mmCIF file of all heavy atoms in Angstrom:
data_model
loop_
_atom_site.group_PDB
_atom_site.id
_atom_site.type_symbol
_atom_site.label_atom_id
_atom_site.label_comp_id
_atom_site.label_asym_id
_atom_site.label_seq_id
_atom_site.Cartn_x
_atom_site.Cartn_y
_atom_site.Cartn_z
ATOM 1 N N GLU D 190 9.510 -5.215 11.309
ATOM 2 C CA GLU D 190 10.713 -4.396 11.362
ATOM 3 C C GLU D 190 10.445 -2.980 10.855
ATOM 4 O O GLU D 190 9.505 -2.742 10.107
ATOM 5 C CB GLU D 190 11.850 -5.041 10.562
ATOM 6 C CG GLU D 190 11.633 -5.089 9.063
ATOM 7 C CD GLU D 190 10.888 -6.323 8.595
ATOM 8 O OE1 GLU D 190 10.537 -7.183 9.417
ATOM 9 O OE2 GLU D 190 10.632 -6.417 7.393
ATOM 10 N N TRP D 191 11.284 -2.058 11.278
ATOM 11 C CA TRP D 191 11.187 -0.665 10.870
ATOM 12 C C TRP D 191 11.904 -0.487 9.538
ATOM 13 O O TRP D 191 12.958 -1.066 9.317
ATOM 14 C CB TRP D 191 11.821 0.243 11.918
ATOM 15 C CG TRP D 191 11.069 0.273 13.196
ATOM 16 C CD1 TRP D 191 11.250 -0.543 14.273
ATOM 17 C CD2 TRP D 191 10.005 1.153 13.540
ATOM 18 N NE1 TRP D 191 10.360 -0.225 15.263
ATOM 19 C CE2 TRP D 191 9.589 0.823 14.848
ATOM 20 C CE3 TRP D 191 9.360 2.187 12.888
ATOM 21 C CZ2 TRP D 191 8.561 1.495 15.497
ATOM 22 C CZ3 TRP D 191 8.340 2.858 13.544
ATOM 23 C CH2 TRP D 191 7.945 2.511 14.824
ATOM 24 N N GLU D 192 11.325 0.325 8.661
ATOM 25 C CA GLU D 192 11.933 0.613 7.368
ATOM 26 C C GLU D 192 12.275 2.088 7.286
ATOM 27 O O GLU D 192 11.459 2.941 7.653
ATOM 28 C CB GLU D 192 10.971 0.257 6.234
ATOM 29 C CG GLU D 192 10.673 -1.212 6.140
ATOM 30 C CD GLU D 192 9.828 -1.545 4.934
ATOM 31 O OE1 GLU D 192 9.900 -0.822 3.915
ATOM 32 O OE2 GLU D 192 9.086 -2.532 5.009
ATOM 33 N N PRO D 193 13.455 2.430 6.791
ATOM 34 C CA PRO D 193 13.820 3.843 6.674
ATOM 35 C C PRO D 193 13.114 4.505 5.484
ATOM 36 O O PRO D 193 12.756 3.838 4.514
ATOM 37 C CB PRO D 193 15.330 3.808 6.453
ATOM 38 C CG PRO D 193 15.576 2.485 5.808
ATOM 39 C CD PRO D 193 14.554 1.544 6.401
ATOM 40 N N VAL D 194 12.938 5.802 5.582
ATOM 41 C CA VAL D 194 12.399 6.572 4.466
ATOM 42 C C VAL D 194 13.487 6.612 3.399
ATOM 43 O O VAL D 194 14.629 6.991 3.679
ATOM 44 C CB VAL D 194 12.021 8.001 4.902
ATOM 45 C CG1 VAL D 194 11.587 8.832 3.707
ATOM 46 C CG2 VAL D 194 10.933 7.955 5.946
ATOM 47 N N GLN D 195 13.140 6.207 2.181
ATOM 48 C CA GLN D 195 14.115 6.144 1.102
ATOM 49 C C GLN D 195 13.601 6.867 -0.130
ATOM 50 O O GLN D 195 12.401 6.884 -0.396
ATOM 51 C CB GLN D 195 14.414 4.690 0.725
ATOM 52 C CG GLN D 195 15.017 3.888 1.843
ATOM 53 C CD GLN D 195 15.293 2.449 1.412
ATOM 54 O OE1 GLN D 195 15.037 2.055 0.282
ATOM 55 N NE2 GLN D 195 15.829 1.674 2.337
ATOM 56 N N VAL D 196 14.537 7.437 -0.874
ATOM 57 C CA VAL D 196 14.241 8.016 -2.179
ATOM 58 C C VAL D 196 15.189 7.351 -3.153
ATOM 59 O O VAL D 196 16.418 7.436 -2.991
ATOM 60 C CB VAL D 196 14.425 9.553 -2.177
ATOM 61 C CG1 VAL D 196 14.246 10.114 -3.574
ATOM 62 C CG2 VAL D 196 13.464 10.207 -1.209
ATOM 63 N N ASN D 197 14.642 6.657 -4.127
ATOM 64 C CA ASN D 197 15.423 5.888 -5.104
ATOM 65 C C ASN D 197 16.368 4.906 -4.423
ATOM 66 O O ASN D 197 17.505 4.721 -4.840
ATOM 67 C CB ASN D 197 16.195 6.821 -6.030
ATOM 68 C CG ASN D 197 15.284 7.657 -6.890
ATOM 69 O OD1 ASN D 197 14.205 7.227 -7.279
ATOM 70 N ND2 ASN D 197 15.696 8.881 -7.189
ATOM 71 N N GLY D 198 15.914 4.297 -3.333
ATOM 72 C CA GLY D 198 16.693 3.285 -2.644
ATOM 73 C C GLY D 198 17.737 3.815 -1.680
ATOM 74 O O GLY D 198 18.491 3.047 -1.097
ATOM 75 N N VAL D 199 17.796 5.124 -1.480
ATOM 76 C CA VAL D 199 18.784 5.736 -0.590
ATOM 77 C C VAL D 199 18.066 6.296 0.629
ATOM 78 O O VAL D 199 17.137 7.114 0.496
ATOM 79 C CB VAL D 199 19.556 6.867 -1.314
ATOM 80 C CG1 VAL D 199 20.551 7.524 -0.379
ATOM 81 C CG2 VAL D 199 20.243 6.325 -2.551
ATOM 82 N N ALA D 200 18.495 5.860 1.826
ATOM 83 C CA ALA D 200 17.899 6.363 3.067
ATOM 84 C C ALA D 200 18.171 7.863 3.192
ATOM 85 O O ALA D 200 19.280 8.329 2.918
ATOM 86 C CB ALA D 200 18.478 5.620 4.266
ATOM 87 N N GLN D 201 17.140 8.592 3.591
ATOM 88 C CA GLN D 201 17.238 10.046 3.667
ATOM 89 C C GLN D 201 17.635 10.509 5.065
ATOM 90 O O GLN D 201 17.267 9.905 6.061
ATOM 91 C CB GLN D 201 15.896 10.679 3.279
ATOM 92 C CG GLN D 201 15.469 10.357 1.865
ATOM 93 C CD GLN D 201 16.443 10.892 0.844
ATOM 94 O OE1 GLN D 201 16.635 12.098 0.745
ATOM 95 N NE2 GLN D 201 17.084 10.005 0.098
ATOM 96 N N LEU D 202 18.372 11.623 5.127
ATOM 97 C CA LEU D 202 18.819 12.219 6.371
ATOM 98 C C LEU D 202 18.153 13.586 6.512
ATOM 99 O O LEU D 202 18.121 14.359 5.556
ATOM 100 C CB LEU D 202 20.347 12.372 6.348
ATOM 101 C CG LEU D 202 21.025 12.757 7.640
ATOM 102 C CD1 LEU D 202 20.833 11.657 8.689
ATOM 103 C CD2 LEU D 202 22.505 12.993 7.409
ATOM 104 N N TYR D 203 17.610 13.871 7.698
ATOM 105 C CA TYR D 203 16.886 15.116 7.936
ATOM 106 C C TYR D 203 17.557 15.908 9.046
ATOM 107 O O TYR D 203 18.199 15.337 9.933
ATOM 108 C CB TYR D 203 15.430 14.812 8.289
ATOM 109 C CG TYR D 203 14.709 14.106 7.166
ATOM 110 C CD1 TYR D 203 14.632 12.715 7.130
ATOM 111 C CD2 TYR D 203 14.134 14.817 6.131
ATOM 112 C CE1 TYR D 203 14.005 12.056 6.089
ATOM 113 C CE2 TYR D 203 13.494 14.165 5.088
ATOM 114 C CZ TYR D 203 13.428 12.788 5.071
ATOM 115 O OH TYR D 203 12.808 12.149 4.041
ATOM 116 N N ASP D 204 17.367 17.234 9.007
ATOM 117 C CA ASP D 204 18.002 18.122 9.982
ATOM 118 C C ASP D 204 17.367 18.031 11.358
ATOM 119 O O ASP D 204 18.052 18.160 12.368
ATOM 120 C CB ASP D 204 17.956 19.582 9.495
ATOM 121 C CG ASP D 204 18.798 19.787 8.246
ATOM 122 O OD1 ASP D 204 19.788 19.045 8.072
ATOM 123 O OD2 ASP D 204 18.460 20.677 7.445
ATOM 124 N N THR D 205 16.034 17.841 11.407
ATOM 125 C CA THR D 205 15.334 17.819 12.696
ATOM 126 C C THR D 205 14.566 16.514 12.863
ATOM 127 O O THR D 205 14.237 15.841 11.882
ATOM 128 C CB THR D 205 14.340 18.993 12.810
ATOM 129 O OG1 THR D 205 13.317 18.823 11.826
ATOM 130 C CG2 THR D 205 15.033 20.344 12.613
ATOM 131 N N ALA D 206 14.279 16.198 14.106
ATOM 132 C CA ALA D 206 13.505 14.998 14.414
ATOM 133 C C ALA D 206 12.089 15.117 13.855
ATOM 134 O O ALA D 206 11.520 14.140 13.366
ATOM 135 C CB ALA D 206 13.472 14.753 15.918
ATOM 136 N N ASP D 207 11.522 16.325 13.937
ATOM 137 C CA ASP D 207 10.166 16.529 13.420
ATOM 138 C C ASP D 207 10.093 16.297 11.910
ATOM 139 O O ASP D 207 9.160 15.666 11.418
ATOM 140 C CB ASP D 207 9.668 17.934 13.759
ATOM 141 C CG ASP D 207 9.389 18.114 15.234
ATOM 142 O OD1 ASP D 207 9.150 17.104 15.919
ATOM 143 O OD2 ASP D 207 9.402 19.268 15.700
ATOM 144 N N ALA D 208 11.068 16.807 11.176
ATOM 145 C CA ALA D 208 11.069 16.628 9.721
ATOM 146 C C ALA D 208 11.203 15.155 9.361
ATOM 147 O O ALA D 208 10.559 14.666 8.428
ATOM 148 C CB ALA D 208 12.202 17.430 9.093
ATOM 149 N N ALA D 209 12.018 14.425 10.113
ATOM 150 C CA ALA D 209 12.192 12.996 9.851
ATOM 151 C C ALA D 209 10.904 12.236 10.140
ATOM 152 O O ALA D 209 10.519 11.341 9.375
ATOM 153 C CB ALA D 209 13.339 12.446 10.704
#
Side-chain angles (χ1 to χ4, degrees):
E190 68 272 359
W191 292 90
E192 295 185 28
V194 175
Q195 298 180 0
V196 174
N197 295 327
V199 178
Q201 299 298 297
L202 190 64
Y203 298 94
D204 294 331
T205 65
D207 290 337

